[in-house]
Amino acid sequence: MESLNALFSLGFATALTPANLLWALLGCTLGTAIGVLPGVGPAVTVALLLPVTQSVDPTGALIMLAGVYYGAMFGGSTTSILLNTPGEAGSIVSALEGNKMAKAGRAGPALSTAAIGSFVAGSIATVLLTLLAPVIAGFALQLGPVETFALMMLTFAAVSAVLGNSPLKGFIALMLGLSMGLIGIESQSGQSRFTFGLMPLIDGIDIVVVAMGLFAIGETLYTATYENKIAGRIESLKGSFWMSKDDWKRSWKPWLRGTAIGFPFGTLPAGGTEMPTFLSYSAERKLASPEAKKEFGKGAIEGVAGPEAANNAAVTGTLVPLLTLGIPTSATAAIMLSAFQQYNIVPGPLLFDTNPELVWGLIASLYIGNVMLLVLNLPLVGLWVQFLKVPRPLLYGGIVVLATMGAYALRQSWFDLMLLYIIGVLGFMMRRFDFPVVPLVVGLIVGPMAEKHFRRAMSIHQGDLTVFLTHPISLAILTVTAAILIVPPLMKRRQKMLQA
Amino acid sequence: MIKRVSGEQWLAFGIILLGLFMAWQLQDIPNDAGYAGIGPRFFPSLVVTGLIVAGGALLMQRRHSNGPDTILSDGENDAAEVEAEDEFARGDADWRMFAIASGSLIAHMALIGLVGFTLAGTLLCFGICRALDTRRPTLDLVLSFVLALGLFHLFKTLGLNLPALIPGGVL
């Protein structure tokens, strides 16, 4: 109950100041507006708006970025339902059924169930975050560098082996991210590494440049090269906007089930929203009534309600490891972490003691942001749909200009623009050959942290590598890590043998 | 039988080359600053090894598979379906458009310090519109200029200084 106390006495007191309310509203609005643009997911939205927050105080800035994160998710569902172009992995499933519903003239109920489901899931997940975060932070205080390093290994294994369709490609993406993370001055010894004598590389490669390069520039190059001839079709918003009694009856259980599936997945280092949304989709498909089952594939409301809830619950779930352990488990969380670092704030168990106003203010603003987003996205959805009508060439032109501006603003140097282009070409190739980008982003951010903890562990234990196996918590984490790497390929092989 | 080297194999070569280049660069990192045998060179060595091994594995994987579809059709659930749809949707590459987009980005990089944010940004936005096969270039050129000028002034008020054509000017 201590956490509820802190939430109300500190959190809401911070979040309800006029300035912070304004930042939350601005974040939610900008997040929805940019998130609704086709092909733009939450990660790139947060990265695009990072430079805007530079002149804001840390609490206000983080409240705004959290609003952007949430808003981009809400906006993303609108796009996948009406245009069938999911901006990120988490909304692929909503596009499956949601776009079919829109085609059948049921865009209104599809958007409503997505928005209300996201609101329900987001609110429940925020309650869980409120109750769980201090407990986990308390536990995390007992973790030394050995255990923290093991946790980071688990994160690496999970993001590269579980996401995407090829663990090898995930691993390569992770290695590329780790390599980029090595560039610059190494924090323990002050040695510069892989800077090739170039001064601008001494500070390392900024995550803003990487995120914009991969997501904005890479995506634009890909679209220009491969997708010019594919024309999107916006489904119109006709018919009743509100959900019927039957729609409500069919939606509320999937919302709750989606939340129950999404939140735990978000909290695990096996992060990401891809798995829980797919799981929720298949669960709803199995549990649907016989009549509803026939609708799956043609636009079943359960197939939108469940995954949308799972998506939002998982996103809130990723804040648990981010705030309590300082470990980001998704691309967006990694960019959020860099926003903390921009203010020299280190997320982790100590954050609850050193910056309680900030943490609790941030959590309280999630409750407020959820309500704001429900209002912004239900009655005002017609406004966001106008954004979808921006012609694609101009839309990408605008995004690229914003991305270059964000990169240039870092140091006012053309060098960052060159890096942006090089990383854009890398993003283009990764997209072309189906490499997942999340491992790269997570590797870039977590890699240097993992090295620091590894070397700290080694200096405490006189270079004895067996400590990772003799410390019980570390052993348990590494066993799970090994299982993640070994079990899926074995199961695949067994399945093949059974089929043969 | 001589097989054509696929794009993915070229990529695998690239990854191995990158790994080897980094391995060569490793020698520039002094290793004596470490404690208990773990210096600033240790972690990079692991990453470099990982890159080379993974690049090699990618190369071998392509050699062993029979065609471009064997890896993709491995999954069994909806994820694979979506993936397959995506694969299907990829048309022929239009490298002229890739060149226009790249050229615009490189020109922007070279010009931003010379002609200022507004003009370089206009050119970039318009170039990207061309690369995305716009149907109404004149209107896009005007809108690109309006967008760049608007952003320039918006961020000037927010305290972010972008280069101008003439220092302190309106462009």
Side-chain angles (χ1 to χ4, degrees):
Chain A
M1 288 308 101
E2 210 174 294
S3 53
L4 287 181
N5 218 346
L7 176 71
F8 286 102
S9 64
L10 274 176
F12 280 104
T14 311
L16 286 171
T17 59
N20 285 339
L21 274 177
L22 200 69
W23 290 125
L25 182 65
L26 189 66
C28 290
T29 314
L30 284 175
T32 312
I34 298 189
V36 90
L37 302 174
V40 183
V44 75
T45 312
V46 176
L48 276 174
L49 292 173
L50 208 53
V52 183
T53 60
Q54 264 167 2
S55 48
V56 184
D57 74 294
T59 311
L62 287 164
I63 285 178
M64 178 177 150
L65 287 175
V68 169
Y69 190 2
Y70 270 38
M73 310 267 312
F74 272 76
S77 7
T78 307
T79 317
S80 18
I81 289 168
L82 294 181
L83 199 61
N84 199 12
T85 45
E88 42 114 30
S91 43
I92 290 174
V93 191
S94 327
L96 284 181
E97 297 296 325
N99 188 248
K100 299 265 165 59
M101 277 180 78
K103 281 206 164 89
R106 303 218 324 124
L111 290 169
S112 293
T113 200
I116 301 171
S118 299
F119 168 74
V120 170
S123 302
I124 297 176
T126 310
V127 174
L128 294 173
L129 170 72
T130 310
L131 299 174
L132 263 179
V135 181
I136 297 181
F139 167 75
L141 276 177
Q142 296 159 14
L143 303 179
V146 174
E147 288 81 8
T148 312
F149 176 75
L151 262 179
M152 288 171 171
M153 289 301 110
L154 174 63
T155 309
F156 288 155
V159 292
S160 50
V162 178
L163 302 175
N165 56 346
S166 155
L168 177 62
K169 288 181 178 177
F171 182 73
I172 291 176
L174 175 71
M175 286 300 140
L176 289 173
L178 291 175
S179 310
M180 281 187 202
L182 290 173
I183 295 173
I185 297 261
E186 193 259 323
S187 63
Q188 305 283 97
S189 63
Q191 298 292 342
S192 65
R193 300 188 296 195
F194 301 108
T195 52
F196 316 107
L198 296 168
M199 278 303 279
L201 281 180
I202 296 231
D203 296 329
I205 299 184
D206 198 282
I207 180 133
V208 171
V209 176
V210 175
M212 308 268 211
L214 288 178
F215 296 109
I217 307 294
E219 181 68 27
T220 305
L221 290 173
Y222 185 85
T223 309
T225 314
Y226 287 105
E227 288 182 349
N228 265 339
K229 297 198 176 60
I230 302 165
R233 212 182 89 95
I234 309 170
E235 302 303 329
S236 60
L237 256 175
K238 51 187 177 211
S240 164
F241 183 75
W242 298 105
M243 291 160 64
S244 67
K245 213 172 169 187
D246 187 50
D247 290 334
W248 279 93
K249 222 175 97 192
R250 288 174 60 182
S251 289
W252 73 272
K253 276 186 194 158
W255 289 339
L256 296 183
R257 280 194 289 261
T259 310
I261 294 172
F263 186 78
F265 262 94
T267 59
L268 293 174
T273 49
E274 201 175 347
M275 291 264 288
T277 46
F278 275 110
L279 272 179
S280 161
Y281 181 75
S282 48
E284 293 313 327
R285 199 174 187 164
K286 279 199 189 91
L287 293 169
S289 67
E291 304 96 75
K293 235 175 213 158
K294 279 183 218 144
E295 276 185 31
F296 266 84
K298 290 182 211 124
I301 196 163
E302 291 89 348
V304 184
E308 272 301 315
N311 192 9
N312 255 45
V315 163
T316 311
T318 56
L319 293 177
V320 176
L322 179 67
L323 292 177
T324 61
L325 302 168
I327 299 180
T329 54
S330 69
T332 320
I335 299 165
M336 288 286 286
L337 178 70
S338 80
F340 279 97
Q341 289 169 346
Q342 183 177 294
Y343 295 104
N344 287 322
I345 299 168
V346 185
L350 290 172
L351 193 65
F352 285 80
D353 286 331
T354 52
N355 291 66
E357 288 93 6
L358 189 144
V359 187
W360 289 112
L362 183 65
I363 295 176
S365 78
L366 298 180
Y367 288 97
I368 300 166
N370 259 310
V371 178
M372 285 177 175
L373 282 165
L374 189 66
V375 178
L376 279 176
N377 281 274
L378 269 187
L380 296 181
V381 73
L383 178 73
W384 310 120
V385 174
Q386 299 305 313
F387 279 72
L388 287 178
K389 293 185 180 149
V390 178
R392 198 163 63 170
L394 201 61
L395 177 77
Y396 277 90
I399 292 170
V400 169
V401 170
L402 274 175
T404 50
M405 196 182 72
Y408 189 80
L410 291 171
R411 285 187 291 206
Q412 307 270 327
S413 128
W414 64 272
F415 188 84
D416 287 314
L417 291 177
M418 193 182 67
L419 272 181
L420 182 77
Y421 177 67
I422 294 172
I423 295 169
V425 173
L426 178 70
F428 167 79
M429 290 197 285
M430 291 177 74
R431 177 84 204 273
R432 168 65 184 84
F433 295 106
D434 294 314
F435 280 70
V437 287
V438 179
L440 191 156
V441 179
V442 170
L444 170 73
I445 286 287
V446 183
M449 289 158 56
E451 180 180 14
K452 201 163 80 188
H453 286 287
F454 179 75
R455 291 179 56 186
R456 218 175 263 167
M458 285 301 96
S459 45
I460 294 171
H461 298 279
Q462 279 90 39
D464 177 15
L465 277 168
T466 58
V467 288
F468 294 107
L469 303 176
T470 50
H471 283 213
I473 298 176
S474 157
L475 177 68
I477 299 169
L478 289 178
T479 312
V480 176
T481 310
I484 286 179
L485 294 176
I486 297 164
V487 175
L490 281 182
M491 292 207 345
K492 226 177 222 176
R493 183 169 290 182
R494 225 191 101 197
Q495 214 169 29
K496 263 192 195 149
M497 278 169 68
L498 285 177
Q499 275 169 4
Chain B
M1 195 175 83
I2 301 165
K3 267 193 195 163
R4 218 176 129 250
V5 180
S6 72
E8 201 163 281
Q9 279 172 327
W10 283 117
L11 196 69
F13 276 125
I15 290 161
I16 296 171
L17 273 182
L18 176 72
L20 291 174
F21 175 68
M22 284 176 69
W24 175 56
Q25 286 284 319
L26 272 180
Q27 295 160 4
D28 287 354
I29 305 171
N31 211 21
D32 47 4
Y35 182 80
I38 312 291
R41 205 194 277 178
F42 179 79
F43 215 69
S45 314
L46 289 184
V47 176
V48 164
T49 316
L51 260 184
I52 297 173
V53 171
L58 185 67
L59 198 63
M60 302 308 283
Q61 190 184 27
R62 286 306 283 196
R63 286 252 168 91
H64 285 304
S65 68
N66 302 321
D69 291 322
T70 39
I71 299 167
L72 263 175
S73 55
D74 247 12
E76 26 89 60
N77 50 18
D78 311 303
E81 266 167 42
V82 175
E83 213 68 58
E85 237 169 62
D86 188 47
E87 182 73 0
F88 179 70
R90 189 183 291 139
D92 288 333
D94 188 344
W95 293 109
R96 203 173 64 89
M97 293 305 189
F98 181 89
I100 295 176
S102 296
S104 309
L105 281 159
I106 292 165
H108 171 261
M109 192 190 306
L111 287 174
I112 189 163
L114 285 175
V115 302
F117 171 82
T118 315
L119 293 182
T122 306
L123 192 73
L124 173 64
C125 188
F126 179 63
I128 297 295
C129 286
R130 289 307 297 259
L132 282 145
D133 207 14
T134 181
R135 300 286 142 102
R136 14 158 254 185
T138 323
L139 182 62
D140 281 341
L141 185 61
V142 175
L143 289 175
S144 299
F145 178 71
V146 173
L147 176 81
L149 189 68
L151 281 173
F152 177 73
H153 285 283
L154 174 71
F155 281 88
K156 208 167 146 189
T157 8
L158 285 174
L160 189 75
N161 274 319
L162 295 161
L165 179 60
I166 309 147
V170 286
L171 280 182

